[in-house]
Amino acid sequence: MKRLLILAAVVLAVTPAVFGQGMRGAQGDRASGRLARMLGKTTSFTATAQSTTLESSGTETITEMGYAVRDGMVRIETDLTKTKTMRKGKPVKKRNDEMEGMAGMGLDKQVTLILPDRQAMFLVYPGMKAYCDMPKAAAADSKTEWTEQGRETIDGHPCIKYLVTTTKADGTKEESTSWKATDLQNFIIQTVSVSDNGTTTLKFSNIKLDKPAAALFELPPDFKRYGSIQEMMMGSMQQMMPKMGGTGE
């Protein structure tokens, strides 16, 4: 039981990974808002993304994600067992072991669905055959300005580099740097964000500007629905207890 509680706490801390941040509550709206600004007029595509977060402590976390976007709907697939944490070039064993341990709870693979037409976000766990609603806070008005910084080449793609400044309703500002690939219909192939916690780089590859299948954005009808991620974690632990004898470390 102790081990299950530890794993559940880890899941709540790292789920889901979008721009290196969680998507619960107001954070979720900020993350989805940044995603909308990043996508711009690119309404449909599929791609692989790598998110690299370098903390001020020197710890580096690398997460790979599969993206599918169709007319504003977003699907992000993540395999947490492939998330690697390094410090000074060496694996952080504890964090990496925790990621591996999620497989036993059916929590290693996760899918985030952002569905604007339903004004909803869902977190789906295929290994559990379950999903839950993600709470949303009221959206705040914001203004985004793009200032050209020059031209660079990213992975062979000619790009225009921009400083992106977002001014929120309360007057506070967020800045990031984005690269638009001119040979990919100005697709934003890379973005770098700096915060008090460190620097996060999101980089896309295997980009296809085709419309993905609509079925990718549908909730599986045979999956169990939970009202919150906490409720879903409890459901996972209850399923695991009989396999572990109900007690134990």
Side-chain angles (χ1 to χ4, degrees):
M1 174 61 73
K2 180 179 178 182
R3 177 172 175 268
L4 291 176
L5 291 173
I6 292 173
L7 287 174
V10 171
V11 173
L12 290 172
V14 303
T15 303
V18 177
F19 305 121
Q21 298 184 30
M23 288 187 65
R24 294 189 292 275
Q27 280 189 338
D29 280 310
R30 289 196 294 271
S32 58
R34 282 193 297 273
L35 179 61
R37 291 193 294 272
M38 181 194 72
L39 296 177
K41 296 181 180 179
T42 307
T43 59
S44 299
F45 73 91
T46 58
T48 300
Q50 179 174 283
S51 174
T52 303
T53 299
L54 181 61
E55 301 172 17
S56 54
S57 64
T59 300
E60 183 179 54
T61 301
I62 302 173
T63 302
E64 290 191 2
M65 295 167 282
Y67 270 72
V69 173
R70 178 188 171 104
D71 300 332
M73 299 183 294
V74 181
R75 176 188 176 97
I76 307 171
E77 297 185 23
T78 309
D79 184 346
L80 294 178
T81 62
K82 294 182 179 179
T83 296
K84 300 301 178 186
T85 302
M86 312 285 287
R87 185 179 292 121
K88 295 182 179 179
K90 297 181 179 180
V92 179
K93 187 175 186 303
K94 182 179 179 181
R95 287 199 190 182
N96 294 329
D97 287 349
E98 287 169 345
M99 295 297 104
E100 292 290 341
M102 291 181 183
M105 296 177 69
L107 300 172
D108 50 331
K109 294 179 175 60
Q110 60 183 28
V111 177
T112 302
L113 290 178
I114 303 173
L115 307 177
D117 59 331
R118 298 173 59 172
Q119 296 185 338
M121 292 190 294
F122 298 94
L123 189 60
V124 184
Y125 282 100
M128 285 183 62
K129 298 194 73 173
Y131 66 91
C132 68
D133 302 70
M134 301 299 287
K136 287 177 62 64
D141 292 333
S142 63
K143 179 181 179 181
T144 302
E145 296 181 0
W146 295 70
T147 305
E148 186 173 335
Q149 301 290 295
R151 294 176 180 264
E152 296 180 1
T153 300
I154 303 293
D155 292 343
H157 298 282
C159 298
I160 302 176
K161 179 181 178 181
Y162 291 91
L163 173 65
V164 185
T165 304
T166 300
T167 304
K168 295 184 285 188
D170 61 3
T172 59
K173 295 184 177 182
E174 294 179 349
E175 289 188 343
S176 62
T177 305
S178 293
W179 288 258
K180 290 185 177 182
T182 57
D183 63 336
L184 293 172
Q185 301 177 23
N186 289 325
F187 183 91
I188 299 180
I189 196 170
Q190 179 174 281
T191 184
V192 176
S193 303
V194 180
S195 68
D196 294 338
N197 297 324
T199 301
T200 298
T201 300
L202 185 70
K203 188 175 183 180
F204 286 94
S205 61
N206 303 319
I207 301 160
K208 297 180 180 179
L209 300 177
D210 300 322
K211 185 172 289 190
L216 290 174
F217 306 93
E218 297 175 359
L219 291 165
D222 58 335
F223 279 25
K224 184 174 181 178
R225 182 173 184 171
Y226 290 91
S228 68
I229 190 170
Q230 291 85 354
E231 183 182 333
M232 189 164 60
M233 294 305 101
M234 290 301 297
S236 176
M237 287 191 289
Q238 290 172 357
Q239 293 177 24
M240 287 297 296
M241 284 177 63
K243 300 178 183 180
M244 301 182 68
T247 59
E249 300 297 314

